[in-house]
Amino acid sequence: MGVSLKDIAEKLNLSKTTVSWVLSGQGNKKGISAETQNRVFACARELSYEPNLLARSLNTGISKTIGLILPSISDSFYAHIAHQIESEAEKEGYSLMIASSNSEIERENAMIRLFRSKKVDGMIIAPTKISKREISRLVDSHYPVLLFDRYFPEMRVNYVIINNEESSYKLVRHLIDKGFRKIAIITTNPHLLTMDMRREGYANALSDAHIRINPDLYGEVTYVNYQDNIYSTLDRIFHAVPDVDAFFFTTHILAIEALRYFYDRGIDINDGNWGLASMHEDSLFRVLAPRMNIAHFPIEEIGSNAVRILLNQIRQSNDPAAGEYVPESKVLPCRMEFRDQ
Amino acid sequence: MGVSLKDIAEKLNLSKTTVSWVLSGQGNKKGISAETQNRVFACARELSYEPNLLARSLNTGISKTIGLILPSISDSFYAHIAHQIESEAEKEGYSLMIASSNSEIERENAMIRLFRSKKVDGMIIAPTKISKREISRLVDSHYPVLLFDRYFPEMRVNYVIINNEESSYKLVRHLIDKGFRKIAIITTNPHLLTMDMRREGYANALSDAHIRINPDLYGEVTYVNYQDNIYSTLDRIFHAVPDVDAFFFTTHILAIEALRYFYDRGIDINDGNWGLASMHEDSLFRVLAPRMNIAHFPIEEIGSNAVRILLNQIRQSNDPAAGEYVPESKVLPCRMEFRDQ
DNA sequence: CTGAAAGCGCTTACAG
DNA sequence: CTGAAAGCGCTTACAG
């Protein structure tokens, strides 16, 4: 079918070796005559030769491909991350294989195994759930991996996350500074460490301001059916604490649903009497809740750090002289957007 | 490093052939004894053997990977398409390599060459711009390709698009039925066939209703800097036709920017005196312009048809008995959402 | 029932 | 300055 090195070599009465050297740019280094080199280039162009990268990868053990596993590529946050990762990876000559786990742990595990069999040089994973069989196997076999968005503190693995506790603290602290005292927290999935950290930021901000933490102001929405769930959660809070005056949302998804709730219940959240804060943004905020205080996730930094750290490990794992790899981690600050009341 | 067939074969004193047959499920077909098969399976499990798919692909010429090239994976429309394509492809055992062209033709060309060198079995491309050197080369060499979103009518290639002309016609027709007469069209990139078709739908609806097409109601926004551009365009239209009463947007992106314009100019677009229609949706419409008439793009159908058609061609191109391939195309209807006034 | 051998298309010591 | 040869890890005719 395609044109191979052999075809060029035969046509020019050279060896595959010579052709390979010339085409891979090692012509001068290997002392191939300028004339021979030109003949090779001309012939390659004439036959429109394109190297078979599968063969090269099989030989070198380097595929120049990284695997990206996300909960869902259609989610705008992950889609932006993917774009950033793609462009950073491309700068270094790497392509991307992408898979969505759909937050199903067995899918995630299957994708990891598949990517490993396809010999990606490393993987960037936003893990789903607490289970982590295949991720552990990767780490144990020194396969280059980087986790982001969520991570497992006890695992010796690269990760990039945001400063969940600190950003949450700052948001809630700002609400307190603006005079709000009955601040509800709306959160989800307590088994996710990320959410724990955000709740901790909330709790610390309150206790630093000597405000008692009221369990009635704690709203936990299960991930499945959260659209319905948030209605009953908010109803419950309003019933238990009628003078609730502010809301801290641990993710933009919950904030959006709550805004819909307020609209349906005829509560004008923008009349100046309410404090609002959310981790991460949504384009709807600008319109629906211009007073929302926001911790913007640093998409670019997450992507560029993820690629940088992963490629470091890949390079080191290809270097026989390198010693034991020490995992690297990065905690990135959010860009805070505070509203004056 | 990894465990190979050879390791298993040596350990069990079998040939690589036998091990390969057992592991690929051809054990019974090849008449390998049940005992031998069990020993192989047990050993593979014990050594946690994972096949090197690169080697398999090099041998068979089948990589079970398809390449997806989009203008940008961070765009919500393309992200949703990608998700759909991924899940359809996965059903058939295919993985996805993804690349964003960023609407730069040379990037698109480079990605096509790269994917070809990486031996993807086929590519799904949302082409950018009119240039098409590498796409032509693919088609000429019978490489399986499917275009979507945009296409080149003169090329013998698979494609999936929506019924641009018809959906536009219906939207504009609906505005006319609701009594609007001075309907502006806001569009972009006239060299894109897609936009031509949408403009044609607009024009046909007007002329079928015997409404003169007023050039002053034609607003064309260049793609670069369209945010600024749309302001001057709309200002011009309002100046030339002060009693303009409706707007047809050929894409949701333009509609969003226009809504911002209306807001800035203090025009209450939702007071019941305006007709609005847009190709494709945006989550902001629900809030900012509840009266927007919308032609919803059929994301699922685009994705599933794209994969189906591409895989057909891949299968046929792997089948030596197959005759010449005849390209397949699909024009999908939009789901129309009409507002009563 | 099982194996020896060739080949997919590269790269890279080794040799001259 | 250039080449013959081995090998990456598979699959698959061919042979017995």
Side-chain angles (χ1 to χ4, degrees):
Chain A
M1 180 95 221
V3 179
S4 72
L5 282 187
K6 199 177 149 200
D7 298 320
I8 299 180
E10 283 175 357
K11 187 150 185 199
L12 297 180
N13 265 319
L14 292 168
S15 72
K16 290 191 301 173
T17 309
T18 305
V19 177
S20 173
W21 279 338
V22 173
L23 257 23
S24 64
Q26 301 185 75
N28 294 330
K29 203 173 95 191
K30 298 288 179 179
I32 314 283
S33 71
E35 195 212 326
T36 304
Q37 291 199 46
N38 285 335
R39 285 171 62 216
V40 170
F41 284 129
C43 184
R45 174 174 300 266
E46 183 195 336
L47 302 179
S48 56
Y49 167 77
E50 288 178 326
N52 182 328
L53 263 22
L54 246 34
R56 177 182 295 171
S57 296
L58 179 61
N59 180 285
T60 60
I62 295 172
S63 65
K64 284 284 184 177
T65 301
I66 67 186
L68 177 60
I69 301 180
L70 306 166
S72 167
I73 184 62
S74 60
D75 178 282
S76 124
F77 171 62
Y78 293 118
H80 278 90
I81 293 276
H83 195 204
Q84 185 67 23
I85 287 177
E86 188 211 318
S87 86
E88 295 287 337
E90 197 221 344
K91 283 183 203 161
E92 308 286 336
Y94 282 79
S95 315
L96 225 55
M97 301 214 47
I98 273 190
S100 299
S101 68
N102 296 340
S103 295
E104 296 163 26
I105 185 65
E106 278 317 322
R107 266 183 71 90
E108 181 181 301
N109 286 332
M111 291 308 158
I112 292 175
R113 281 196 305 273
L114 180 63
F115 280 179
R116 191 197 255 250
S117 269
K118 291 212 168 183
K119 301 293 165 187
V120 300
D121 293 335
M123 300 190 211
I124 296 177
I125 306 175
T128 183
K129 307 275 173 61
I130 37 174
S131 173
K132 53 203 170 194
R133 191 181 68 239
E134 293 295 333
I135 295 179
S136 296
R137 286 190 58 212
L138 287 179
V139 173
D140 291 346
S141 55
H142 306 291
Y143 206 105
V145 190
L146 180 136
L147 308 184
F148 77 96
D149 197 36
R150 304 165 186 172
Y151 79 116
F152 308 113
E154 74 286 7
M155 218 184 258
R156 296 202 70 232
V157 60
N158 303 309
Y159 65 86
V160 171
I161 56 168
I162 57 158
N163 61 350
N164 287 292
E165 194 277 339
E166 190 180 340
S167 289
S168 301
Y169 182 96
K170 285 181 179 167
L171 285 175
V172 176
R173 180 62 189 242
H174 180 76
L175 293 177
I176 295 169
D177 288 347
K178 291 297 163 189
F180 299 105
R181 286 297 173 271
K182 312 236 165 172
I183 305 171
I185 176 172
I186 309 297
T187 186
T188 182
N189 279 39
H191 67 274
L192 283 178
L193 196 65
T194 310
M195 294 302 165
D196 283 343
M197 295 166 83
R198 296 178 190 176
R199 185 163 45 72
E200 213 160 288
Y202 164 85
N204 290 342
L206 290 184
S207 66
D208 281 3
H210 308 295
I211 300 177
R212 187 180 67 87
I213 292 172
N214 181 350
D216 285 337
L217 288 171
Y218 177 75
E220 185 181 304
V221 180
T222 59
Y223 199 74
V224 286
N225 265 331
Y226 64 89
Q227 289 98 332
D228 297 337
N229 228 294
I230 202 161
Y231 272 63
S232 52
T233 301
L234 286 169
D235 275 342
R236 201 227 341 112
I237 290 176
F238 271 105
H239 184 260
V241 189
D243 56 342
V244 52
D245 57 11
F247 293 88
F248 167 57
F249 303 101
T250 61
T251 130
H252 63 296
I253 298 172
L254 297 172
I256 290 296
E257 292 305 321
L259 292 175
R260 185 175 299 167
Y261 167 92
F262 294 136
Y263 184 81
D264 280 358
R265 289 284 187 267
I267 300 169
D268 181 5
I269 205 74
N270 300 315
D271 66 3
N273 298 319
W274 302 92
L276 296 172
S278 172
M279 293 293 284
H280 200 30
E281 71 212 49
D282 188 289
S283 58
L284 282 167
F285 287 172
R286 205 182 58 199
V287 180
L288 284 181
R291 286 216 174 82
M292 183 77 75
N293 297 284
I294 305 171
H296 295 276
F297 290 4
I299 307 263
E300 288 78 16
E301 287 82 355
I302 295 173
S304 57
N305 279 282
V307 172
R308 181 182 57 75
I309 294 173
L310 183 72
L311 291 191
N312 274 346
Q313 185 179 5
I314 291 175
R315 286 193 195 101
Q316 191 171 338
S317 77
N318 288 336
D319 175 5
E324 205 203 345
Y325 180 75
V326 179
E328 195 176 341
S329 64
K330 194 95 187 177
V331 179
L332 297 166
C334 296
R335 181 173 62 78
M336 307 303 294
E337 188 175 3
F338 293 127
R339 308 293 176 191
D340 255 359
Q341 153 50 304
Chain B
M1 178 97 218
V3 179
S4 72
L5 282 186
K6 198 177 150 199
D7 299 319
I8 298 180
E10 283 176 357
K11 188 150 184 199
L12 298 179
N13 265 318
L14 291 169
S15 74
K16 290 191 301 174
T17 309
T18 306
V19 177
S20 172
W21 278 339
V22 172
L23 258 22
S24 64
Q26 302 184 76
N28 294 329
K29 202 173 95 189
K30 298 288 179 179
I32 315 284
S33 72
E35 196 211 326
T36 303
Q37 291 199 45
N38 285 335
R39 285 170 63 215
V40 170
F41 284 129
C43 183
R45 174 173 300 265
E46 183 195 337
L47 302 181
S48 56
Y49 168 76
E50 288 179 325
N52 183 328
L53 263 24
L54 246 34
R56 177 182 295 171
S57 296
L58 179 60
N59 180 284
T60 60
I62 294 171
S63 64
K64 283 283 185 179
T65 301
I66 66 187
L68 177 60
I69 300 179
L70 306 166
S72 167
I73 184 62
S74 59
D75 178 281
S76 125
F77 170 63
Y78 293 118
H80 278 89
I81 293 275
H83 196 204
Q84 184 68 24
I85 287 177
E86 188 210 319
S87 86
E88 295 287 337
E90 198 223 345
K91 283 184 202 160
E92 308 286 335
Y94 283 80
S95 315
L96 223 57
M97 301 213 50
I98 273 190
S100 298
S101 67
N102 297 338
S103 296
E104 296 163 26
I105 185 66
E106 278 317 323
R107 265 183 71 90
E108 181 182 301
N109 286 331
M111 292 307 158
I112 292 175
R113 281 196 305 273
L114 180 63
F115 280 179
R116 191 197 254 249
S117 269
K118 291 212 170 186
K119 300 293 165 187
V120 301
D121 293 335
M123 299 189 210
I124 296 178
I125 305 174
T128 185
K129 309 275 172 63
I130 36 172
S131 172
K132 53 204 172 193
R133 189 182 69 239
E134 293 295 334
I135 296 179
S136 295
R137 287 190 57 211
L138 287 179
V139 172
D140 290 347
S141 55
H142 307 290
Y143 207 105
V145 189
L146 180 134
L147 308 183
F148 77 97
D149 198 34
R150 304 165 186 173
Y151 79 117
F152 309 114
E154 74 285 7
M155 220 185 255
R156 296 201 70 233
V157 59
N158 304 307
Y159 65 86
V160 171
I161 56 168
I162 57 160
N163 61 350
N164 287 292
E165 194 276 340
E166 189 181 340
S167 290
S168 301
Y169 181 95
K170 285 181 178 168
L171 285 175
V172 176
R173 179 61 188 243
H174 180 77
L175 293 176
I176 295 168
D177 288 348
K178 291 297 163 189
F180 298 105
R181 286 296 174 271
K182 312 236 166 172
I183 306 172
I185 176 173
I186 310 297
T187 187
T188 182
N189 280 40
H191 66 275
L192 283 178
L193 197 64
T194 310
M195 294 302 165
D196 282 343
M197 295 166 83
R198 295 178 190 176
R199 184 162 46 70
E200 212 161 289
Y202 164 84
N204 290 342
L206 290 183
S207 66
D208 281 4
H210 309 294
I211 300 177
R212 188 181 65 88
I213 292 173
N214 182 350
D216 285 338
L217 288 171
Y218 177 76
E220 185 182 304
V221 179
T222 58
Y223 200 74
V224 285
N225 265 331
Y226 64 88
Q227 288 99 331
D228 297 336
N229 228 295
I230 202 161
Y231 272 64
S232 53
T233 301
L234 286 169
D235 276 343
R236 198 224 346 112
I237 289 176
F238 273 104
H239 184 262
V241 189
D243 56 344
V244 51
D245 57 11
F247 293 89
F248 166 58
F249 304 101
T250 60
T251 128
H252 64 295
I253 297 172
L254 297 173
I256 290 297
E257 292 306 320
L259 292 175
R260 185 174 298 166
Y261 167 93
F262 293 136
Y263 184 82
D264 280 358
R265 290 284 187 267
I267 300 169
D268 182 5
I269 206 75
N270 300 316
D271 66 3
N273 298 318
W274 302 91
L276 296 171
S278 173
M279 292 295 283
H280 200 31
E281 71 213 49
D282 188 290
S283 58
L284 281 167
F285 287 171
R286 204 182 60 201
V287 180
L288 286 181
R291 286 217 173 83
M292 183 77 74
N293 296 284
I294 305 170
H296 295 277
F297 290 2
I299 307 264
E300 288 78 16
E301 286 82 356
I302 295 173
S304 55
N305 278 283
V307 173
R308 182 182 57 75
I309 294 173
L310 183 71
L311 291 190
N312 275 345
Q313 185 179 6
I314 290 175
R315 286 194 195 99
Q316 189 170 338
S317 77
N318 287 337
D319 176 6
E324 205 203 345
Y325 180 75
V326 179
E328 195 175 342
S329 63
K330 193 96 185 175
V331 178
L332 297 166
C334 296
R335 182 173 62 80
M336 306 303 294
E337 187 175 3
F338 293 127
R339 308 294 175 191
D340 256 358
Q341 151 53 313

